[in-house]
Every structure is written in C-alpha cells, then in structure tokens.
Amino acid sequence: MNHKLERIFKQFQSVAEFVSFEELNAGHINDTFLIKTAQSSNYVLQKLNGAVFKDGGKLIENKFLISKHLQRKFAQLSFSEIQRRVLCFVASKSGNFFYQDIEGNYWNLSVFIADSVTYEKTPNSEIAYEAGKATGNFLALTSDFNAAKLTPVLPDFHSVSKRFLQFKEALKNASKERKEQAKELIDFSNSNIAEMLVLDDAIRLKKLPLRVTHNDTKISNILFSKNNKALCLIDTDTVMEGVIHFDYGDAIRTICNTSDEDCSKTHQIGFNMDYFKRYTTGFLQELKDSITSEELQYLSVSIQIMPFIMGLRFLTDFLNNDVYYKTNYEQHNFDRSKNQYTLVQKIKEKYSEIDAFIESAF
Ligand code: GN1
Ligand code: MG
C-alpha cells in the first residue's frame, strides 16, 4: 500500500517528499489517506468510490471550483491563513484536477489542515454555535456563485420522493428475514412519508432559491481550531445545487443528536435543545443578509426531514444487503436507520419549541 500511495501521490504537482501514510476512517463511501511528507505540509489523498460516483472527474472539478471561489473571498488573508479556511486542492502533473489510475479510479489531493480538530459528537454549546457559523458562512460566501455551473454528480441526492421510490424498489427484492427484522422501520417510513414531502413540494413549486449547498454538513465534516473556532467545511464531494435546508437540517441531525449516528440504544438518543439554539443562532448570524423569508419558514421542517432521509437511505441499504455504505457488522445499516428514525421521533416531540425558537431568532 505504501508504494502504491507514494506512486499516486507523485502524480500530483507537489514537491513534497512522501514519508508515510495513515488511513482516515471517518467516511462511509470513499477511501481517504493522510500523506505525511518530509516537508512542513502534509496532504489528504482521496480515492473516490466509483460505484457511487460515476463521474469522478466532474465531482473533483466541482470541489475545485468552490474552493477557488472561496479562496478569492479570503484574498485579504495571508497564504497560510487561506490554507486553513478553505480546502486547497493540488492539480495533477497532467494538468487535470484529478489523477485517474489504470483501474479507472479517480484520486484527488488537498493540503492537510494542521492543528485542527474534528468531532464525531458535539462536545459543548460553543462548538454548536461555531458549527452554525461555519455552515452559514459557507452558504453566504457561495451565494454569489452560479450553482447551475456545478455538475449534479448525484442527482436528486436529497429528494425525499426519489429516496422513497428507491426504498420501495428495495422492498420488492429484499429477503424475508431482513424485511421481518425491519418491519417497524418500514412501517415508520410508510406512515411518515406524506409529511416529509413538504420540502420537495416547495422546491418543485420554486418557492426556495437554488444555491450552492455542501450536502454533507455532519459535524465530522466541520473543522475547528484547537481553541474551538470553526475553520472550514471539509469533504466537499457533494457540493451541488440545492436549498439551504439540506445543509441546515443535516448539520442539526448530527450536532443535536445526543448519541452517535449508529448507536442502537434508543434510550441514549435525544435532541439537544441548547445545541439546536446555539447552532441556529450562529447559522442565522452569517446568513442574515441573504436568507429569504420563505427560506426561513422551511428551516424547522428540514430538521425532521434530513434525519428522515438518512433513516430511509440506511434502511434501503439494509434491505439491499448493504451495497452502498461501508458497514462494520451485519446489523450496521439497521442500527443507523433505527437511530435516525428515533431522532425524528424525538424532534417531533419538541417541534413546537423548535419552530417557536426559529421564529423568534430572526
Ligand atoms: C455518507 O461518506 P460520508 O460519510 O462522507 C453520505 C452522506 C450521509 C453520510 C451519513 C455520498 O457520507 O449523504 O449523510 O454518509 N454520502 C454519500 O453519515 O452518500
Ligand atoms: Mg461526504
């Protein structure tokens, strides 16, 4: 592996000398490695999962375009500060944004942001507030980028109706055992789908502006400095055209969940109201000049829709015998789905308080 990664690293326009690598295991889809070099900069080398991303070249181009845009916004900062506030990608020696190996896999390289931390779970309310600022700031700074220029690498990524069709399809082919085991989750999907379609409807009726969205704003994709200040969003694989609700709801899904995403102990799963309030305050502070009243109206509902989508996707993959997400054990997708649906339930219980806070916050 060492040799292979060294060979691939050398395909990029970096003069740094490869020393060793470490696998970064946080993602569910791609393979990501930290490349340590003999120089002061280290790098993140990523191999895209070709089964999920059919057009790896376009995906990497999307990431480059957004990073370039953000770098221009930070032009007043020093070079080293810019490298901490936005992912900086390195072109390959052939002049492409990516390197494609002989097996057809797409690779990309970015500068590793040192002296930074990520969290799997929110440690305190200050981090929740900073996370709100990080996502709000990303959306504000990209609001003048023409989102239609981005390739929709995963079309309908957050479409509830499309995800529901995929679930129905999976149900047709699922094994009897898995269907029996997932009966409660299947019932939950069917009985909740109608109310989860409101965001799809608003998008279809063009009530909400389409903007650049990150589409994977879970807490582990937000980088913080060691003194707890938000630095930037990482993992821009899914930057596409979307509505801000995808990023707002998806961030809250992980930031306010009192348990890990795959925790199966339902008594540990709850919705942290304090983190929700702090997150929302930071988010709206950054977006106050560019958010529309209609966008505001749909924020609260997105808090239940995003965990519903994830629960549905994990369940679909469970019914499909785990072909999409990386899993560590047999019931992994089942547990993830159960976790997300329990969270939806907890959010519903607190919905009027959530809604009232958003109304009063602006
Ligand atoms: C996947 O691979 P990762 O962890 O960045 C998924 C997201 C889900 C997330 C759940 C392309 O992201 O949509 O929210 O898992 N990404 C893709 O943790 O499907
Ligand atoms: Mg991702």
Side-chain angles (χ1 to χ4, degrees):
M1 196 63 168
N2 219 34
H3 286 309
K4 187 177 175 197
L5 290 177
E6 180 170 6
R7 200 169 36 74
I8 289 163
F9 178 69
K10 280 187 175 154
Q11 304 302 320
F12 289 88
Q13 294 179 23
S14 160
V15 288
E17 233 175 292
F18 180 101
V19 173
S20 63
F21 78 92
E22 222 173 79
E23 183 157 9
L24 302 170
N25 282 320
H28 293 4
I29 314 274
N30 299 314
D31 297 329
T32 314
F33 305 92
L34 169 64
I35 305 295
K36 297 194 175 155
T37 76
Q39 283 67 31
S40 56
S41 291
N42 292 327
Y43 292 84
V44 176
L45 181 64
Q46 182 197 43
K47 180 175 111 180
L48 295 180
N49 178 333
V52 170
F53 297 113
K54 304 291 176 214
D55 199 344
K58 287 288 176 198
L59 180 151
I60 298 165
E61 188 183 344
N62 281 351
K63 303 209 287 189
F64 253 83
L65 288 173
I66 292 305
S67 278
K68 280 258 143 59
H69 181 82
L70 293 173
Q71 282 155 11
R72 278 197 290 272
K73 296 275 162 153
F74 291 130
Q76 80 284 5
L77 302 180
S78 69
F79 181 66
S80 62
E81 193 52 28
I82 293 176
Q83 287 197 331
R84 294 180 67 69
R85 298 300 309 279
V86 48
L87 289 178
C88 294
F89 292 96
V90 182
S92 74
K93 285 187 176 154
S94 62
N96 285 323
F97 305 125
F98 55 82
Y99 168 69
Q100 195 173 17
D101 66 22
I102 38 172
E103 291 151 22
N105 299 306
Y106 285 90
W107 296 78
N108 63 94
L109 187 75
S110 61
V111 179
F112 175 73
I113 303 177
D115 297 321
S116 62
V117 263
T118 53
Y119 298 100
E120 286 298 320
K121 248 170 52 194
T122 316
N124 56 54
S125 57
E126 193 52 26
I127 287 292
Y129 170 73
E130 285 291 320
K133 286 185 59 163
T135 25
N137 188 248
F138 178 89
L139 293 167
L141 292 180
T142 54
S143 63
D144 58 343
F145 184 98
N146 177 5
K149 280 194 191 155
L150 298 173
T151 303
V153 285
L154 295 171
D156 302 313
F157 192 51
H158 291 316
S159 158
V160 179
S161 48
K162 287 283 160 50
R163 294 298 182 186
F164 195 69
L165 287 177
Q166 289 167 354
F167 155 71
K168 286 287 185 195
E169 208 44 48
L171 211 45
K172 279 189 207 153
N173 307 313
S175 72
K176 199 164 159 270
E177 297 76 59
R178 287 208 169 198
K179 269 196 298 203
E180 263 167 27
Q181 198 198 336
K183 185 175 179 317
E184 268 184 43
L185 301 178
I186 294 168
D187 291 348
F188 188 88
S189 313
N190 287 321
S191 56
N192 281 271
I193 181 67
E195 61 188 286
M196 299 296 171
L197 289 169
V198 292
L199 196 55
D200 275 26
D201 292 345
I203 295 169
R204 192 168 31 80
L205 297 171
K206 300 200 178 347
K207 286 187 181 172
L208 302 169
L210 294 177
R211 310 182 179 223
V212 173
T213 45
H214 179 282
N215 294 309
D216 192 8
T217 47
K218 55 183 179 181
I219 182 143
S220 56
N221 279 339
I222 305 174
L223 214 59
F224 299 90
S225 67
K226 288 196 168 153
N227 59 353
N228 284 348
K229 295 286 171 225
L231 290 172
C232 64
L233 299 190
I234 56 171
D235 180 14
T236 47
D237 291 351
T238 47
V239 284
M240 287 181 281
E241 195 172 53
V243 292
I244 59 169
H245 310 78
F246 298 159
D247 287 353
Y248 176 74
D250 197 22
I252 288 184
R253 175 181 78 81
T254 55
I255 285 162
C256 304
N257 189 343
T258 52
S259 71
D260 289 328
E261 186 181 69
D262 49 9
C263 168
S264 62
K265 301 186 182 82
T266 40
H267 65 276
Q268 289 181 7
I269 305 165
F271 184 78
N272 187 315
M273 273 311 262
D274 178 41
Y275 291 174
F276 151 71
K277 290 178 180 170
R278 299 294 292 147
Y279 177 87
T280 300
T281 304
F283 183 83
L284 290 178
Q285 263 172 19
E286 293 291 328
L287 275 173
K288 60 181 180 311
D289 296 329
S290 56
I291 196 164
T292 68
S293 59
E294 250 154 353
E295 283 181 313
L296 268 173
Q297 256 177 40
Y298 283 86
L299 285 182
S300 46
V301 81
S302 73
I303 295 176
Q304 57 179 39
I305 291 176
M306 295 312 293
F308 180 78
I309 293 184
M310 295 308 158
L312 190 60
R313 290 177 61 195
F314 289 137
L315 173 60
T316 302
D317 200 33
F318 178 71
L319 295 170
N320 282 336
N321 291 327
D322 316 314
V323 290
Y324 185 87
Y325 293 108
K326 289 180 185 172
T327 50
N328 299 334
Y329 58 95
E330 172 107 12
Q331 308 297 312
H332 206 161
N333 275 318
F334 174 85
D335 285 348
R336 288 166 171 156
S337 175
K338 188 170 164 195
N339 180 291
Q340 296 296 295
Y341 280 177
T342 308
L343 182 65
V344 172
Q345 205 52 58
K346 299 285 173 188
I347 290 166
K348 284 181 158 197
E349 287 160 19
K350 293 186 173 170
Y351 196 72
S352 46
E353 200 184 334
I354 289 173
D355 202 34
F357 180 79
I358 295 176
E359 269 208 13
S360 69
F362 205 66

